[in-house]
C-alpha cells in the first residue's frame, strides 16, 4: 500500500486516488456488544495500528465487509433484514440496536477507537444477501435478498448513521453484480449476484427500468428446481469430511485455495498445513486437502452441502482419530496415517511413520 501510494504521489495522483484494502469481520476478536468491539490481539498493534496510521496520513478510508446474512439465525432474521424487531440492547451504552448492520459497523468503530482512530471514515466494501441457498440455510432466497439490499440502500443513504457514528452516510458496495456459477462451496456462495451469468436479473432490487421489473416479477413467480449440489440436511457431531477417492489433484488444490480464504479469522484457519504447522507433513495436496475440507465442514456447522466441493468431498461417520488409514509393508518400511483431534473431534491432521516411505493418501 505504501509503494502504491508512493507511485501515485510520483505521478501527482495521490490526491485523486486513495489506497486502502478490505477486511472481513474476522479481524474482530469481539463484536458483541458493539461497544466492546476489539481487534484480535497481536494483529491490533503490529498490523492494524500501522495500517490505520497509513490511512489517516493519506486521508483514506478503512474498508470492511459486513455480512448480516452469515451472522443471523432464525430468531434474528428480522434484525438482519432491517425489519421490525425487538432489537438488541448494548448493556454498556444502553443503546438499543434495531438492525445487525449497525451493530457490526459500531463493533468495528469501537475497535478502531480503542487504538485511537475513531476519526477515520469507514467504507462498506462488500455486503449482500444470496438469492438462493440450501433448504437448511436460514434466510436465503430472492425475496429476502431484494429486501435486504433495498433496505440497505435506504439506510446507508439516510444520513442517520449508526448509534456510535450518528449523522453519517456510508459509501457502500453491494456484493455482487453477477452470480458466480463456477464458484466452489455452498450454493449460496454462487448466488449473491443481482444478475445471472446470462445477464438476466436474479431479482428486482428496485433499480431496474419498469419493463425489466415486470419481466423479473413474472419469472420469479415460476418456481425453479433446486440446485443439485449438496444434500441440505444439517448434521451433528460424529461426521467428518474427506476427499473422495479418485478426486483429481487440481480440484483438491482449488478446494484448499477456497477454504484457506474462507477460514480467515475462524479458529486456526489453514495455519496447521502451512510450512512449520503441525499438519504440514505429509506435504501432499491430498493430505492438505483432507485437513482443509474437513476444517471448513466443521467450521460451517457440519452441513452436508459444506462437504460437496463440487462433488469431490464425501462425508464419513468413521472417526479419523481412531482410523488406521493405511498400513503398508515393503522391504524396510512400515507406515500409517494417524490422526489427532481437538476437543470436539472436529479438527484433525495426519502424521506418518518410519523408514523409506512414500506418502500415500
Amino acid at each position: 500500500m505504501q509503494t502504491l501510494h508512493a507511485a501515485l504521489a510520483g505521478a501527482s495522483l495521490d490526491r485523486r486516488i486513495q489506497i486502502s484494502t478490505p477486511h472481513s469481520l474476522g479481524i474482530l476478536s469481539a463484536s458483541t456488544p458493539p461497544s466492546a468491539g476489539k481487534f484480535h490481539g497481536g494483529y491490533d498493534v503490529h498490523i492494524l495500528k500501522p495500517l490505520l496510521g497509513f490511512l489517516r496520513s493519506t486521508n483514506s478510508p478503512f474498508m470492511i465487509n459486513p455480512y448480516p446474512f452469515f451472522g443471523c439465525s432464525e430468531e434474528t432474521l428480522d434484525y438482519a433484514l432491517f425489519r421490525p424487531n425487538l432489537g438488541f440492547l448494548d448493556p454498556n451504552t444502553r443503546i438499543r440496536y434495531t438492525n445487525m448492520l449497525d451493530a457490526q459497523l459500531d463493533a468495528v468503530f469501537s475497535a478502531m477507537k480503542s487504538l485511537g482512530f475513531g476519526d477515520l471514515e469507514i467504507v462498506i466494501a462488500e455486503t449482500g444477501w444470496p438469492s438462493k441457498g440450501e433448504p437448511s440455510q436460514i434466510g436465503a432466497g430472492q425475496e429476502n435478498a431484494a429486501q435486504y439490499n433495498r433496505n440497505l440502500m435506504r439506510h446507508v443513504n439516510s444520513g442517520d448513521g449508526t448509534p456510535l457514528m450518528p449523522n453519517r452516510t456510508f459509501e457502500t458496495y453491494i456484493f455482487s453484480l453477477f452470480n458466480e456459477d463456477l464458484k466452489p462451496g455452498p450454493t449460496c456462495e454462487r448466488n449473491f449476484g443481482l444478475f445471472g451469468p446470462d445477464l438476466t436479473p436474479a431479482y428486482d432490487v428496485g433499480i431496474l427500468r419498469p419493463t425489466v421489473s415486470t419481466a423479473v416479477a413474472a419469472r420469479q413467480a415460476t418456481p425453479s428446481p433446486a440446485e443439485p449440489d449438496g444434500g441440505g440436511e444439517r448434521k451433528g457431531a460424529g461426521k467428518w469430511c474427506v476427499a473422495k477417492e479418485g478426486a483429481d489433484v487440481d480440484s483438491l488444490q482449488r478446494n484448499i485455495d477456497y477454504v484457506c480464504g474462507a477460514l480467515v479469522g475462524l479458529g486456526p484457519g489453514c495455519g496447521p498445513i502451512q510450512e512449520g504447522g503441525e499438519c504440514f507433513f505429509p506435504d501432499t495436496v491430498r493430505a492438505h486437502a483432507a485437513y482443509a475440507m474437513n476444517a471448513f465442514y466443521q467450521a460451517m456447522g457440519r452441513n452436508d452441502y459444506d462437504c460437496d466441493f463440487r462433488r469431490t468431498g464425501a462425508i464419513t461417520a468413521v472417526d479419523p482419530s481412531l482410523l488406521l488409514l493405511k498400513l503398508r509393508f515393503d522391504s524396510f518400511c512400515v507406515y500409517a496415517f494417524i490422526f489427532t483431534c481437538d476437543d470436539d473431534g472436529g479438527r484433525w491432521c495426519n502424521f506418518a511413520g518410519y523408514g523409506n516411505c512414500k506418502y500415500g493418501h
Side-chain angles (χ1 to χ4, degrees), residues 107 119 128 150 154 184 186 197 202-203 228 241 261 269:
D119 58 311
R150 287 195 197 106
R154 185 182 304 114
Y203 56 89
C241 181

Side-chain angles (χ1 to χ4, degrees), residues 310-359:
R310 302 194 72 80
R311 299 177 176 85
T312 61
I315 294 171
T316 178
V318 180
D319 185 345
S321 68
L322 304 177
L323 178 64
L324 186 63
L325 258 190
K326 189 171 184 180
L327 181 63
R328 187 181 72 181
F329 296 87
D330 56 31
S331 57
F332 59 108
C333 175
V334 178
Y335 81 103
F337 286 157
I338 303 197
F339 297 87
T340 59
C341 292
D342 59 9
D343 291 339
D344 69 357
R347 184 171 62 89
W348 50 273
C349 61
N350 30 21
F351 297 86
Y354 306 96
N356 185 21
C357 297
K358 294 182 179 178
Y359 296 120

Side-chain angles (χ1 to χ4, degrees), residues 172-196:
T172 301
Y173 296 86
I174 292 176
F175 183 86
S176 60
L177 186 58
F178 294 104
N179 285 335
E180 301 173 277
D181 58 322
L182 300 181
K183 188 175 183 178
T187 299
C188 71
E189 290 286 351
R190 295 186 283 281
N191 290 280
F192 273 85
L194 301 180
F195 295 85

Side-chain angles (χ1 to χ4, degrees), residues 279-326:
C279 300
F280 179 68
F281 291 107
D283 182 16
T284 67
V285 171
R286 183 171 293 276
H288 288 181
Y291 174 92
M293 293 165 67
N294 186 63
F296 181 87
Y297 173 69
Q298 303 296 331
M300 301 306 290
R302 302 185 181 99
N303 301 294
D304 285 5
Y305 52 80
D306 289 324
C307 186
D308 183 74
F309 291 100
R310 302 194 72 80
R311 299 177 176 85
T312 61
I315 294 171
T316 178
V318 180
D319 185 345
S321 68
L322 304 177
L323 178 64
L324 186 63
L325 258 190
K326 189 171 184 180

Side-chain angles (χ1 to χ4, degrees), residues 257-268:
D257 296 340
Y258 170 74
V259 166
C260 290
L263 290 182
V264 172
L266 294 177

